[in-house]
Amino acid sequence: MMCRHKTLNVDVIPSYADYCQKNGIKGILVNGTTGEGSSMTTKERKLVTEVWMEQCKSRKQHLMVQVGGISLPDVLSLAAHAEKTGADSILCLPELFQKPTSIADLIRYLKMVAKAAPNTPLLYYHIPRMTHVNIHMGTFLNSVGNSIPTFSGIKFSSTVLDEGLAAVKADKEKYCVFLGAHAIMAGAYTLGFSLGIATTQNIFPQFGETILKSIMKGQLLQAQETQADLNTAVNIINKYGPFVPSMKAAMQILSSVPVGETREPVTPVPVEQMKKMEIELRALPFIK
């Protein structure tokens, strides 16, 4: 979907939506980390939201729009646009330069975002390895109270399971807590997580669903084996570059969706390396 320099190929979105629907994916997150929201202009992000909204409406899929990662005026504009377009929920990164250093800072920031979209559920995007905002999510959720009327939860993209569990249990399990870490699904779902948003769902959509269903049925061994297979495949993918370009390369190889290269300044996986990745991945017995 992303072209190397100036343009987006939004014409691929309908086939992307078909791929998700055929694989049982009931919700779409756009303009997130792997979607390279921070590499797009505000105008481009609005366009992507609009095209995905058309597809999600016809397929009855939930559309979540990530609006953060840029200047506050643009964040507020994107939040208002998401609501006007009909998004089902909004996800927001923290301010990335003047980073929040306290729970009060973060709540104040999210209040402003919520005010721009007063009728749409708002979630916070916790991905500390990239934002370097390390506010404890359990403590944060227990502190929100009624201060942000539309606040509904978080995407927890961290492997710190005790913190994640504290978030799940916060305020009498009031909030939606989406797990964003594919490598610990089996453990997290065993502890009490029940929701997930992971990049690997674009590449191996059957794995996350199988792990969750296995845990719910008490089939722990199957969940562990599926988790091990997923981690084996992801370890191969990660050999070929940083997270975003390697994941997009893997999706290019294994899915039916031509997602394109990463945009500058992110370096894509070279074609020669993609060929090596494909050989390794297709040698795995659980990949068709």
Side-chain angles (χ1 to χ4, degrees):
M1 195 180 82
M2 184 72 73
C3 293
R4 190 77 182 121
H5 296 288
K6 296 182 179 179
T7 60
L8 298 177
N9 179 18
V10 294
D11 291 340
V12 78
I13 291 177
S15 64
Y16 196 165
D18 283 340
Y19 169 79
C20 292
Q21 186 178 46
K22 288 175 183 176
N23 284 285
I25 295 174
K26 300 177 179 63
I28 306 295
L29 168 61
V30 301
N31 299 335
T33 302
T34 314
E36 297 184 82
S38 61
S39 295
M40 289 189 269
T41 66
T42 301
K43 183 178 179 180
E44 288 173 329
R45 288 171 71 161
K46 289 179 178 180
L47 175 61
V48 170
T49 297
E50 290 165 6
V51 177
W52 266 110
M53 189 71 255
E54 293 176 5
Q55 301 304 315
C56 288
K57 279 183 179 178
S58 64
R59 293 169 176 79
K60 298 181 180 179
Q61 292 171 313
H62 183 108
L63 181 66
M64 180 184 290
V65 181
Q66 200 289 114
V67 300
I70 47 179
S71 68
L72 180 59
D74 287 335
V75 171
L76 302 183
S77 177
L78 285 171
H81 175 266
E83 178 164 292
K84 183 179 179 181
T85 304
D88 297 290
S89 60
I90 292 169
L91 181 68
C92 190
L93 286 163
E95 165 62 42
L96 298 182
F97 186 72
Q98 302 289 350
K99 303 178 191 297
T101 58
S102 69
I103 289 172
D105 287 343
L106 182 55
I107 289 176
R108 181 172 177 271
Y109 184 83
L110 293 173
K111 278 183 179 179
M112 290 185 278
V113 179
K115 189 175 180 180
N119 301 302
T120 307
L122 172 66
L123 295 94
Y124 171 63
Y125 191 177
H126 179 65
I127 182 168
R129 65 184 176 81
M130 298 190 77
T131 64
H132 302 291
V133 174
N134 290 295
I135 293 170
H136 189 279
M137 286 296 99
T139 307
F140 163 65
L141 291 177
N142 276 317
S143 302
V144 174
N146 297 317
S147 62
I148 310 173
T150 57
F151 189 76
S152 300
I154 63 173
K155 180 183 178 188
F156 187 80
S157 293
S158 168
T159 57
V160 184
L161 269 178
D162 60 339
E163 179 185 357
L165 183 59
V168 170
K169 299 297 183 183
D171 203 351
K172 299 179 181 178
E173 302 187 20
K174 176 181 178 181
Y175 299 104
C176 295
V177 179
F178 290 89
L179 179 67
H182 60 265
I184 58 169
M185 286 179 176
Y189 293 149
T190 300
L191 287 173
F193 277 84
S194 61
L195 303 169
I197 302 174
T199 297
T200 53
Q201 293 294 93
N202 291 287
I203 308 166
F204 311 107
Q206 71 280 16
F207 283 70
E209 188 74 5
T210 297
I211 293 169
L212 177 57
K213 287 182 177 178
S214 297
I215 294 297
M216 292 175 69
K217 293 177 182 178
Q219 299 169 343
L220 300 185
L221 181 59
Q222 182 177 353
Q224 291 168 351
E225 290 174 347
T226 305
Q227 182 74 73
D229 287 345
L230 175 60
N231 290 358
T232 296
V234 171
N235 287 340
I236 290 173
I237 294 167
N238 286 340
K239 286 167 49 179
Y240 291 91
F243 184 81
V244 172
S246 63
M247 286 292 166
K248 291 191 79 168
M251 189 175 179
Q252 191 94 336
I253 292 167
L254 296 178
S255 79
S256 58
V257 185
V259 291
E261 295 182 334
T262 48
R263 177 176 276 188
E264 296 285 9
V266 179
T267 303
V269 177
V271 174
E272 297 78 13
Q273 294 294 96
M274 283 182 65
K275 290 178 180 177
K276 292 179 180 179
M277 181 194 292
E278 180 169 13
I279 291 170
E280 285 198 68
L281 287 172
R282 295 203 183 279
L284 296 173
F286 50 85
I287 291 182
K288 298 179 181 179

